[in-house]
Amino acid sequence: MNNQCMVIRQFSNTLFFLFLVPLSIQAQGELSNIVILATGGTIAGSGATSTSSASYESATVGVDALIQAVPELTELANVRGEQVFQIASQDYTNERLLQLGRRVSELVKSDDVDGIVITHGTDTLEETGFFLNLVIHTEKPIVVVGAMRPGTALSADGALNLFNAVALASSADSRGKGVLITLNDEIHTARDATKSINIRPNAFSSPWGPLGMVVERQAYWFRAPVKRHTVHSEFNIDEIDKLANVQVVYAHGNLDDTLYKEHQRNGAVAIIHAGTGNGSVSSHIFATVLGISQSGVHFIRSSRVMQGGFVLRNGEEDDDANGWVVSHDLNPQKARILAAVALTQSRSAGDLQRIFWEY
Ligand code: ASP
């Protein structure tokens, strides 16, 4: 049996249920039009056996097979799919982010599209979600979804995650809340959600908690994002040709200054310092990073603290005197996305700091 057949068989174990669904559900009002943009990842992955839950190949199953594997989607919406990429998400370059963003931007402008679902690898799903949250001008729901187990595995989570994502994307309550992420029945804002555990299906968490839950196709909301996003953003994908080259350096007590110098030499316009604790900077690299930032490469202090690193401006380091920026509560990978977008518009540290407070 080939991989796609295995996925369909695995996902279709509830197929019989389709015949039991009362016609009244399908007849309720007009269904929304949802486009599923498939980009690869474990949700489109397949393993050699049903017990290969953590060793498998990601990005092997095409969008049509993904949709066919969850026939219950037709109860929720008129769904159509497009294959944008077929990649593992560690391969999301800036160019791919822009390509996906441009396609989302085109689609949301169309009257016959009510919402978008993006299937994505989980490794960098938080970055793509946050990027779209910053640059797509729409109130229409955009939901990014992944899975932690391939469709061929026992207890695969992709089918229900996809069902929940389509339920969210077709719900009027999801409008205007910015880009959303759903896995494991939870709804997160793409701004906050981060992959905080691997292998397990509860991989995503938000330092300030999820926005709500999706249970049996119904979304239950408990809070809404307060930071600027989508229609309230000053950034617009339609005006961005190229993202800025921003790199991340992961700090530890014995870190030397080689990477900072290399990134400067290679043309980085900002370096995110994934610092210890409150984004602190070791005394033995201080002179180098100060020199690099004075030469015009922005130095942005973030924190390597996993669950809710919060960097206080002028706490531990004198950011005002040094001309540095703090990432606020954004983790290093999200800080990289915000800086890469922000630096397409302004090169001033003051603006950059304002943006880190507001988004
Ligand atoms: N490496 C995979 C990816 O991000 C993992 C996953 O999807 O869970 O594409």
Short mmCIF file of all heavy atoms in Angstrom, two decimals, residues 37-39 84-85 87-102 104 116-136 142-145 178-181 189-191 193-194 204 230 237 243 331 333-334 336-338 341:
data_model
loop_
_atom_site.label_atom_id
_atom_site.label_comp_id
_atom_site.label_asym_id
_atom_site.label_seq_id
_atom_site.Cartn_x
_atom_site.Cartn_y
_atom_site.Cartn_z
N LEU A 37 -4.42 26.14 1.84
CA LEU A 37 -3.12 26.27 1.19
C LEU A 37 -2.18 25.27 1.86
O LEU A 37 -1.89 25.40 3.05
CB LEU A 37 -2.58 27.69 1.34
CG LEU A 37 -3.42 28.79 0.69
CD1 LEU A 37 -2.79 30.16 0.95
CD2 LEU A 37 -3.55 28.55 -0.81
N ALA A 38 -1.75 24.28 1.12
CA ALA A 38 -0.91 23.24 1.72
C ALA A 38 0.55 23.57 1.47
O ALA A 38 0.93 23.97 0.36
CB ALA A 38 -1.27 21.89 1.11
N THR A 39 1.35 23.41 2.51
CA THR A 39 2.77 23.74 2.35
C THR A 39 3.70 22.63 2.82
O THR A 39 4.90 22.81 2.81
CB THR A 39 3.13 25.06 3.09
OG1 THR A 39 3.17 24.83 4.50
CG2 THR A 39 2.16 26.19 2.77
N VAL A 84 0.94 25.05 -2.27
CA VAL A 84 1.86 26.18 -2.45
C VAL A 84 3.30 25.68 -2.42
O VAL A 84 4.12 26.03 -3.28
CB VAL A 84 1.64 27.26 -1.38
CG1 VAL A 84 2.55 28.45 -1.62
CG2 VAL A 84 0.19 27.71 -1.37
N PHE A 85 3.63 24.88 -1.42
CA PHE A 85 4.94 24.20 -1.35
C PHE A 85 4.68 22.79 -0.86
O PHE A 85 3.59 22.47 -0.36
CB PHE A 85 5.86 24.83 -0.30
CG PHE A 85 5.98 26.33 -0.36
CD1 PHE A 85 5.59 27.10 0.73
CD2 PHE A 85 6.49 26.95 -1.48
CE1 PHE A 85 5.71 28.47 0.72
CE2 PHE A 85 6.61 28.33 -1.50
CZ PHE A 85 6.22 29.09 -0.42
N ILE A 87 7.12 21.15 1.57
CA ILE A 87 8.43 21.25 2.25
C ILE A 87 8.28 20.99 3.75
O ILE A 87 7.20 21.11 4.31
CB ILE A 87 9.07 22.66 2.06
CG1 ILE A 87 8.15 23.77 2.61
CG2 ILE A 87 9.45 22.90 0.62
CD1 ILE A 87 8.79 25.15 2.68
N ALA A 88 9.39 20.66 4.36
CA ALA A 88 9.46 20.67 5.83
C ALA A 88 9.67 22.13 6.22
O ALA A 88 10.34 22.89 5.50
CB ALA A 88 10.62 19.81 6.29
N SER A 89 9.10 22.52 7.33
CA SER A 89 9.04 23.97 7.58
C SER A 89 10.37 24.58 8.01
O SER A 89 10.51 25.80 8.03
CB SER A 89 7.93 24.30 8.58
OG SER A 89 8.27 23.89 9.87
N GLN A 90 11.35 23.74 8.32
CA GLN A 90 12.69 24.30 8.57
C GLN A 90 13.28 24.91 7.30
O GLN A 90 14.30 25.61 7.36
CB GLN A 90 13.64 23.24 9.17
CG GLN A 90 13.81 21.96 8.38
CD GLN A 90 12.81 20.87 8.79
OE1 GLN A 90 11.68 21.17 9.12
NE2 GLN A 90 13.23 19.62 8.74
N ASP A 91 12.62 24.67 6.15
CA ASP A 91 13.11 25.21 4.89
C ASP A 91 12.39 26.51 4.47
O ASP A 91 12.46 26.91 3.31
CB ASP A 91 12.94 24.16 3.77
CG ASP A 91 13.85 22.96 4.00
OD1 ASP A 91 14.82 23.09 4.77
OD2 ASP A 91 13.57 21.89 3.44
N TYR A 92 11.68 27.11 5.40
CA TYR A 92 11.01 28.38 5.08
C TYR A 92 12.01 29.53 5.04
O TYR A 92 12.37 30.10 6.05
CB TYR A 92 9.93 28.70 6.12
CG TYR A 92 8.54 28.38 5.64
CD1 TYR A 92 8.01 27.13 5.88
CD2 TYR A 92 7.79 29.30 4.92
CE1 TYR A 92 6.74 26.80 5.43
CE2 TYR A 92 6.53 28.98 4.46
CZ TYR A 92 6.01 27.72 4.72
OH TYR A 92 4.75 27.40 4.26
N THR A 93 12.43 29.86 3.85
CA THR A 93 13.30 31.03 3.68
C THR A 93 12.43 32.30 3.66
O THR A 93 11.20 32.21 3.55
CB THR A 93 14.02 30.93 2.33
OG1 THR A 93 12.99 30.81 1.33
CG2 THR A 93 14.95 29.74 2.27
N ASN A 94 13.07 33.45 3.69
CA ASN A 94 12.33 34.71 3.57
C ASN A 94 11.55 34.74 2.25
O ASN A 94 10.42 35.25 2.19
CB ASN A 94 13.28 35.90 3.59
CG ASN A 94 13.78 36.19 5.00
OD1 ASN A 94 13.32 35.59 5.97
ND2 ASN A 94 14.72 37.12 5.11
N GLU A 95 12.15 34.22 1.19
CA GLU A 95 11.49 34.25 -0.12
C GLU A 95 10.20 33.42 -0.08
O GLU A 95 9.18 33.80 -0.65
CB GLU A 95 12.43 33.70 -1.22
CG GLU A 95 13.61 34.61 -1.54
CD GLU A 95 14.64 34.72 -0.42
OE1 GLU A 95 14.84 33.73 0.33
OE2 GLU A 95 15.21 35.82 -0.25
N ARG A 96 10.25 32.28 0.61
CA ARG A 96 9.04 31.44 0.70
C ARG A 96 7.97 32.12 1.55
O ARG A 96 6.78 32.04 1.25
CB ARG A 96 9.39 30.07 1.25
CG ARG A 96 10.07 29.21 0.20
CD ARG A 96 10.27 27.80 0.68
NE ARG A 96 10.60 26.92 -0.43
CZ ARG A 96 11.62 26.06 -0.42
NH1 ARG A 96 12.39 25.94 0.64
NH2 ARG A 96 11.85 25.31 -1.47
N LEU A 97 8.41 32.79 2.61
CA LEU A 97 7.42 33.53 3.42
C LEU A 97 6.70 34.55 2.55
O LEU A 97 5.47 34.69 2.61
CB LEU A 97 8.12 34.27 4.57
CG LEU A 97 8.49 33.46 5.81
CD1 LEU A 97 9.24 34.35 6.80
CD2 LEU A 97 7.25 32.86 6.47
N LEU A 98 7.48 35.26 1.74
CA LEU A 98 6.87 36.29 0.89
C LEU A 98 5.95 35.66 -0.15
O LEU A 98 4.86 36.18 -0.41
CB LEU A 98 7.96 37.11 0.19
CG LEU A 98 8.74 38.07 1.10
CD1 LEU A 98 9.95 38.65 0.37
CD2 LEU A 98 7.85 39.20 1.60
N GLN A 99 6.39 34.54 -0.73
CA GLN A 99 5.55 33.89 -1.76
C GLN A 99 4.22 33.44 -1.16
O GLN A 99 3.15 33.67 -1.75
CB GLN A 99 6.32 32.68 -2.32
CG GLN A 99 5.64 32.06 -3.52
CD GLN A 99 6.38 30.82 -4.02
OE1 GLN A 99 7.60 30.70 -3.86
NE2 GLN A 99 5.64 29.90 -4.62
N LEU A 100 4.27 32.83 0.02
CA LEU A 100 3.02 32.41 0.67
C LEU A 100 2.17 33.62 1.01
O LEU A 100 0.95 33.64 0.76
CB LEU A 100 3.35 31.60 1.93
CG LEU A 100 2.14 31.16 2.75
CD1 LEU A 100 1.27 30.17 1.97
CD2 LEU A 100 2.57 30.55 4.09
N GLY A 101 2.81 34.64 1.58
CA GLY A 101 2.07 35.84 1.97
C GLY A 101 1.38 36.49 0.80
O GLY A 101 0.22 36.93 0.90
N ARG A 102 2.05 36.54 -0.34
CA ARG A 102 1.44 37.17 -1.52
C ARG A 102 0.22 36.38 -1.99
O ARG A 102 -0.79 36.96 -2.39
CB ARG A 102 2.47 37.28 -2.65
CG ARG A 102 3.52 38.32 -2.34
CD ARG A 102 4.47 38.59 -3.49
NE ARG A 102 5.50 39.51 -3.02
CZ ARG A 102 6.80 39.25 -2.97
NH1 ARG A 102 7.26 38.10 -3.42
NH2 ARG A 102 7.64 40.15 -2.50
N VAL A 104 -1.72 34.51 -0.07
CA VAL A 104 -2.79 34.73 0.91
C VAL A 104 -3.42 36.10 0.65
O VAL A 104 -4.65 36.25 0.66
CB VAL A 104 -2.24 34.64 2.36
CG1 VAL A 104 -3.29 35.04 3.37
CG2 VAL A 104 -1.74 33.23 2.65
N ILE A 116 -9.07 31.36 5.12
CA ILE A 116 -7.92 30.60 4.61
C ILE A 116 -7.42 29.68 5.71
O ILE A 116 -7.33 30.08 6.88
CB ILE A 116 -6.73 31.56 4.26
CG1 ILE A 116 -7.16 32.67 3.31
CG2 ILE A 116 -5.52 30.79 3.74
CD1 ILE A 116 -7.21 32.30 1.87
N VAL A 117 -7.08 28.47 5.33
CA VAL A 117 -6.38 27.54 6.23
C VAL A 117 -5.04 27.22 5.59
O VAL A 117 -4.98 26.95 4.38
CB VAL A 117 -7.20 26.24 6.44
CG1 VAL A 117 -6.37 25.17 7.13
CG2 VAL A 117 -8.45 26.55 7.26
N ILE A 118 -3.99 27.27 6.36
CA ILE A 118 -2.66 26.94 5.83
C ILE A 118 -2.14 25.72 6.58
O ILE A 118 -2.02 25.76 7.82
CB ILE A 118 -1.70 28.13 6.00
CG1 ILE A 118 -2.21 29.33 5.20
CG2 ILE A 118 -0.28 27.75 5.55
CD1 ILE A 118 -1.65 30.64 5.65
N THR A 119 -1.89 24.63 5.87
CA THR A 119 -1.29 23.47 6.52
C THR A 119 0.23 23.64 6.44
O THR A 119 0.78 24.01 5.40
CB THR A 119 -1.74 22.15 5.87
OG1 THR A 119 -1.37 22.16 4.49
CG2 THR A 119 -3.25 21.98 5.98
N HIS A 120 0.91 23.36 7.54
CA HIS A 120 2.29 23.81 7.70
C HIS A 120 3.04 22.87 8.64
O HIS A 120 2.45 22.33 9.58
CB HIS A 120 2.20 25.22 8.34
CG HIS A 120 3.41 26.08 8.19
ND1 HIS A 120 4.60 25.82 8.81
CD2 HIS A 120 3.59 27.24 7.52
CE1 HIS A 120 5.48 26.77 8.53
NE2 HIS A 120 4.89 27.65 7.72
N GLY A 121 4.31 22.72 8.42
CA GLY A 121 5.14 22.03 9.40
C GLY A 121 5.16 22.80 10.71
O GLY A 121 5.02 24.02 10.72
N THR A 122 5.33 22.06 11.79
CA THR A 122 5.21 22.74 13.09
C THR A 122 6.49 23.46 13.51
O THR A 122 6.44 24.33 14.37
CB THR A 122 4.82 21.75 14.20
OG1 THR A 122 5.80 20.72 14.28
CG2 THR A 122 3.45 21.15 13.93
N ASP A 123 7.64 23.11 12.90
CA ASP A 123 8.90 23.68 13.39
C ASP A 123 8.92 25.20 13.32
O ASP A 123 9.40 25.87 14.23
CB ASP A 123 10.09 23.12 12.60
CG ASP A 123 10.41 21.68 12.96
OD1 ASP A 123 9.68 21.09 13.78
OD2 ASP A 123 11.39 21.14 12.41
N THR A 124 8.45 25.75 12.22
CA THR A 124 8.49 27.22 12.07
C THR A 124 7.09 27.79 11.85
O THR A 124 6.95 28.91 11.36
CB THR A 124 9.41 27.64 10.90
OG1 THR A 124 8.85 27.15 9.68
CG2 THR A 124 10.83 27.11 11.07
N LEU A 125 6.09 27.01 12.23
CA LEU A 125 4.70 27.46 12.04
C LEU A 125 4.45 28.79 12.77
O LEU A 125 3.74 29.67 12.28
CB LEU A 125 3.80 26.33 12.58
CG LEU A 125 2.31 26.38 12.35
CD1 LEU A 125 1.76 24.94 12.30
CD2 LEU A 125 1.60 27.12 13.43
N GLU A 126 5.06 28.94 13.93
CA GLU A 126 4.84 30.17 14.70
C GLU A 126 5.39 31.40 13.97
O GLU A 126 4.85 32.49 14.09
CB GLU A 126 5.49 30.06 16.08
CG GLU A 126 6.99 29.92 16.06
CD GLU A 126 7.55 29.57 17.44
OE1 GLU A 126 7.68 28.38 17.77
OE2 GLU A 126 7.88 30.51 18.18
N GLU A 127 6.49 31.20 13.23
CA GLU A 127 7.06 32.35 12.51
C GLU A 127 6.18 32.74 11.32
O GLU A 127 5.90 33.92 11.10
CB GLU A 127 8.48 32.02 12.02
CG GLU A 127 9.52 32.08 13.11
CD GLU A 127 10.22 30.76 13.33
OE1 GLU A 127 9.55 29.79 13.73
OE2 GLU A 127 11.45 30.69 13.11
N THR A 128 5.74 31.73 10.56
CA THR A 128 4.88 32.04 9.41
C THR A 128 3.58 32.70 9.87
O THR A 128 3.12 33.69 9.28
CB THR A 128 4.57 30.75 8.61
OG1 THR A 128 5.81 30.21 8.15
CG2 THR A 128 3.66 31.03 7.43
N GLY A 129 2.99 32.14 10.93
CA GLY A 129 1.74 32.71 11.44
C GLY A 129 1.93 34.15 11.86
O GLY A 129 1.11 35.03 11.53
N PHE A 130 3.01 34.43 12.57
CA PHE A 130 3.26 35.79 13.04
C PHE A 130 3.54 36.72 11.86
O PHE A 130 3.05 37.86 11.81
CB PHE A 130 4.44 35.78 14.02
CG PHE A 130 4.72 37.11 14.67
CD1 PHE A 130 3.70 37.94 15.12
CD2 PHE A 130 6.03 37.53 14.86
CE1 PHE A 130 3.97 39.16 15.73
CE2 PHE A 130 6.31 38.76 15.48
CZ PHE A 130 5.27 39.56 15.90
N PHE A 131 4.29 36.22 10.88
CA PHE A 131 4.56 37.02 9.69
C PHE A 131 3.26 37.44 9.00
O PHE A 131 3.05 38.62 8.70
CB PHE A 131 5.46 36.21 8.74
CG PHE A 131 5.65 36.84 7.39
CD1 PHE A 131 6.38 38.01 7.25
CD2 PHE A 131 5.07 36.28 6.26
CE1 PHE A 131 6.55 38.61 6.01
CE2 PHE A 131 5.23 36.87 5.02
CZ PHE A 131 5.97 38.04 4.89
N LEU A 132 2.37 36.49 8.79
CA LEU A 132 1.10 36.80 8.12
C LEU A 132 0.27 37.76 8.97
O LEU A 132 -0.41 38.66 8.45
CB LEU A 132 0.31 35.52 7.83
CG LEU A 132 1.01 34.50 6.91
CD1 LEU A 132 0.22 33.20 6.85
CD2 LEU A 132 1.23 35.08 5.51
N ASN A 133 0.35 37.59 10.27
CA ASN A 133 -0.38 38.46 11.21
C ASN A 133 0.07 39.92 11.06
O ASN A 133 -0.70 40.85 11.26
CB ASN A 133 -0.06 37.96 12.63
CG ASN A 133 -1.02 38.44 13.68
OD1 ASN A 133 -2.21 38.32 13.54
ND2 ASN A 133 -0.48 39.00 14.75
N LEU A 134 1.33 40.09 10.66
CA LEU A 134 1.89 41.44 10.53
C LEU A 134 1.59 42.08 9.18
O LEU A 134 1.54 43.31 9.08
CB LEU A 134 3.42 41.40 10.70
CG LEU A 134 3.96 40.99 12.06
CD1 LEU A 134 5.47 40.79 11.99
CD2 LEU A 134 3.62 42.05 13.11
N VAL A 135 1.44 41.26 8.14
CA VAL A 135 1.47 41.85 6.79
C VAL A 135 0.22 41.66 5.93
O VAL A 135 0.14 42.20 4.83
CB VAL A 135 2.70 41.36 5.98
CG1 VAL A 135 4.00 41.73 6.68
CG2 VAL A 135 2.64 39.85 5.72
N ILE A 136 -0.74 40.87 6.38
CA ILE A 136 -1.94 40.63 5.56
C ILE A 136 -3.07 41.53 6.05
O ILE A 136 -3.44 41.49 7.22
CB ILE A 136 -2.40 39.16 5.62
CG1 ILE A 136 -1.26 38.21 5.24
CG2 ILE A 136 -3.61 38.94 4.73
CD1 ILE A 136 -0.80 38.28 3.80
N ILE A 142 -7.70 33.68 9.07
CA ILE A 142 -6.56 32.94 8.51
C ILE A 142 -6.08 32.02 9.64
O ILE A 142 -5.74 32.50 10.73
CB ILE A 142 -5.41 33.88 8.09
CG1 ILE A 142 -5.90 34.86 7.02
CG2 ILE A 142 -4.20 33.09 7.60
CD1 ILE A 142 -4.91 35.97 6.69
N VAL A 143 -6.08 30.73 9.37
CA VAL A 143 -5.75 29.76 10.43
C VAL A 143 -4.59 28.90 9.95
O VAL A 143 -4.66 28.32 8.86
CB VAL A 143 -6.96 28.86 10.75
CG1 VAL A 143 -6.62 27.91 11.90
CG2 VAL A 143 -8.20 29.71 11.10
N VAL A 144 -3.54 28.84 10.74
CA VAL A 144 -2.39 28.00 10.39
C VAL A 144 -2.45 26.75 11.26
O VAL A 144 -2.64 26.84 12.48
CB VAL A 144 -1.05 28.74 10.57
CG1 VAL A 144 0.08 27.98 9.87
CG2 VAL A 144 -1.13 30.15 10.04
N VAL A 145 -2.27 25.59 10.62
CA VAL A 145 -2.46 24.33 11.34
C VAL A 145 -1.36 23.34 10.96
O VAL A 145 -0.85 23.35 9.85
CB VAL A 145 -3.86 23.75 11.03
CG1 VAL A 145 -4.04 23.41 9.57
CG2 VAL A 145 -4.17 22.54 11.90
N GLY A 178 -7.02 38.43 13.90
CA GLY A 178 -5.65 38.21 13.45
C GLY A 178 -5.45 36.75 13.09
O GLY A 178 -6.38 35.94 13.10
N VAL A 179 -4.22 36.42 12.76
CA VAL A 179 -3.93 35.05 12.31
C VAL A 179 -3.95 34.12 13.53
O VAL A 179 -3.41 34.44 14.59
CB VAL A 179 -2.58 35.01 11.58
CG1 VAL A 179 -2.21 33.58 11.19
CG2 VAL A 179 -2.64 35.90 10.33
N LEU A 180 -4.62 32.99 13.34
CA LEU A 180 -4.81 32.03 14.43
C LEU A 180 -4.04 30.74 14.14
O LEU A 180 -3.79 30.41 12.98
CB LEU A 180 -6.29 31.71 14.58
CG LEU A 180 -7.21 32.92 14.82
CD1 LEU A 180 -8.68 32.52 14.68
CD2 LEU A 180 -6.95 33.53 16.20
N ILE A 181 -3.70 30.06 15.22
CA ILE A 181 -3.05 28.75 15.10
C ILE A 181 -3.90 27.77 15.90
O ILE A 181 -4.31 28.09 17.02
CB ILE A 181 -1.61 28.81 15.69
CG1 ILE A 181 -0.70 29.62 14.75
CG2 ILE A 181 -1.04 27.41 15.94
CD1 ILE A 181 0.71 29.84 15.28
N THR A 189 -3.33 32.84 19.33
CA THR A 189 -2.97 33.90 18.40
C THR A 189 -1.57 33.59 17.87
O THR A 189 -0.68 33.18 18.64
CB THR A 189 -2.99 35.30 19.06
OG1 THR A 189 -2.21 36.19 18.24
CG2 THR A 189 -2.43 35.32 20.45
N ALA A 190 -1.40 33.80 16.57
CA ALA A 190 -0.10 33.50 15.96
C ALA A 190 1.00 34.38 16.56
O ALA A 190 2.17 34.02 16.52
CB ALA A 190 -0.17 33.71 14.46
N ARG A 191 0.63 35.51 17.13
CA ARG A 191 1.64 36.36 17.75
C ARG A 191 2.29 35.66 18.94
O ARG A 191 3.50 35.74 19.17
CB ARG A 191 1.02 37.67 18.23
CG ARG A 191 2.08 38.58 18.83
CD ARG A 191 1.56 39.51 19.89
NE ARG A 191 2.62 40.39 20.35
CZ ARG A 191 3.27 40.20 21.50
NH1 ARG A 191 2.98 39.21 22.31
NH2 ARG A 191 4.25 41.03 21.84
N ALA A 193 1.79 32.18 20.06
CA ALA A 193 2.02 30.73 20.11
C ALA A 193 3.44 30.37 19.76
O ALA A 193 4.05 30.96 18.86
CB ALA A 193 1.06 30.04 19.16
N THR A 194 3.95 29.38 20.46
CA THR A 194 5.29 28.91 20.17
C THR A 194 5.35 27.40 20.36
O THR A 194 4.61 26.84 21.18
CB THR A 194 6.33 29.63 21.06
OG1 THR A 194 7.64 29.24 20.67
CG2 THR A 194 6.15 29.33 22.54
N PHE A 204 2.16 23.14 21.15
CA PHE A 204 2.10 24.61 21.11
C PHE A 204 1.50 25.18 22.39
O PHE A 204 0.54 24.66 22.95
CB PHE A 204 1.30 25.10 19.89
CG PHE A 204 2.13 25.02 18.65
CD1 PHE A 204 2.36 23.80 18.02
CD2 PHE A 204 2.75 26.15 18.12
CE1 PHE A 204 3.18 23.71 16.90
CE2 PHE A 204 3.57 26.08 17.01
CZ PHE A 204 3.78 24.85 16.39
N THR A 230 -2.86 42.53 11.32
CA THR A 230 -3.61 42.54 10.04
C THR A 230 -4.09 43.96 9.65
O THR A 230 -3.27 44.80 9.31
CB THR A 230 -4.79 41.52 10.09
OG1 THR A 230 -5.61 41.79 11.23
CG2 THR A 230 -4.28 40.09 10.16
N ILE A 237 2.05 43.30 2.94
CA ILE A 237 2.78 42.40 2.03
C ILE A 237 2.85 42.97 0.61
O ILE A 237 3.84 42.79 -0.10
CB ILE A 237 2.13 41.00 2.02
CG1 ILE A 237 2.93 39.98 1.20
CG2 ILE A 237 0.70 41.03 1.50
CD1 ILE A 237 4.03 39.34 1.88
N LEU A 243 12.54 40.90 2.48
CA LEU A 243 12.65 41.06 3.93
C LEU A 243 14.09 41.36 4.29
O LEU A 243 15.03 40.97 3.58
CB LEU A 243 12.19 39.78 4.64
CG LEU A 243 10.69 39.48 4.50
CD1 LEU A 243 10.35 38.12 5.10
CD2 LEU A 243 9.86 40.57 5.17
N ASN A 331 9.85 35.98 21.59
CA ASN A 331 11.00 35.08 21.64
C ASN A 331 11.93 35.40 20.45
O ASN A 331 11.55 36.14 19.54
CB ASN A 331 10.54 33.61 21.71
CG ASN A 331 9.86 33.14 20.43
OD1 ASN A 331 10.09 33.68 19.35
ND2 ASN A 331 9.01 32.13 20.55
N GLN A 333 12.93 33.88 17.74
CA GLN A 333 12.51 33.61 16.36
C GLN A 333 11.38 34.54 15.92
O GLN A 333 11.29 34.92 14.75
CB GLN A 333 12.15 32.13 16.15
CG GLN A 333 11.05 31.53 17.01
CD GLN A 333 11.57 30.94 18.32
OE1 GLN A 333 12.56 31.39 18.87
NE2 GLN A 333 10.87 29.94 18.84
N LYS A 334 10.54 34.94 16.86
CA LYS A 334 9.48 35.90 16.49
C LYS A 334 10.06 37.31 16.36
O LYS A 334 9.63 38.09 15.50
CB LYS A 334 8.37 35.89 17.53
CG LYS A 334 7.49 34.66 17.39
CD LYS A 334 6.36 34.69 18.37
CE LYS A 334 5.63 33.37 18.41
NZ LYS A 334 4.54 33.30 17.43
N ARG A 336 12.91 37.94 15.25
CA ARG A 336 13.54 37.96 13.93
C ARG A 336 12.53 38.32 12.85
O ARG A 336 12.80 39.14 11.96
CB ARG A 336 14.13 36.56 13.63
CG ARG A 336 15.15 36.54 12.55
CD ARG A 336 14.99 35.84 11.27
NE ARG A 336 14.09 34.80 10.97
CZ ARG A 336 13.62 34.62 9.74
NH1 ARG A 336 13.95 35.44 8.76
NH2 ARG A 336 12.79 33.64 9.49
N ILE A 337 11.33 37.75 12.94
CA ILE A 337 10.30 38.05 11.94
C ILE A 337 9.89 39.52 12.01
O ILE A 337 9.83 40.22 10.99
CB ILE A 337 9.07 37.13 12.16
CG1 ILE A 337 9.41 35.68 11.87
CG2 ILE A 337 7.87 37.60 11.32
CD1 ILE A 337 9.71 35.35 10.42
N LEU A 338 9.64 40.00 13.22
CA LEU A 338 9.18 41.39 13.34
C LEU A 338 10.27 42.35 12.84
O LEU A 338 9.96 43.30 12.09
CB LEU A 338 8.79 41.72 14.79
CG LEU A 338 8.24 43.13 15.02
CD1 LEU A 338 7.10 43.48 14.07
CD2 LEU A 338 7.78 43.30 16.47
N VAL A 341 10.54 42.38 9.04
CA VAL A 341 9.45 43.14 8.41
C VAL A 341 9.64 44.64 8.67
O VAL A 341 9.59 45.47 7.75
CB VAL A 341 8.07 42.67 8.96
CG1 VAL A 341 6.96 43.60 8.52
CG2 VAL A 341 7.78 41.24 8.50
#
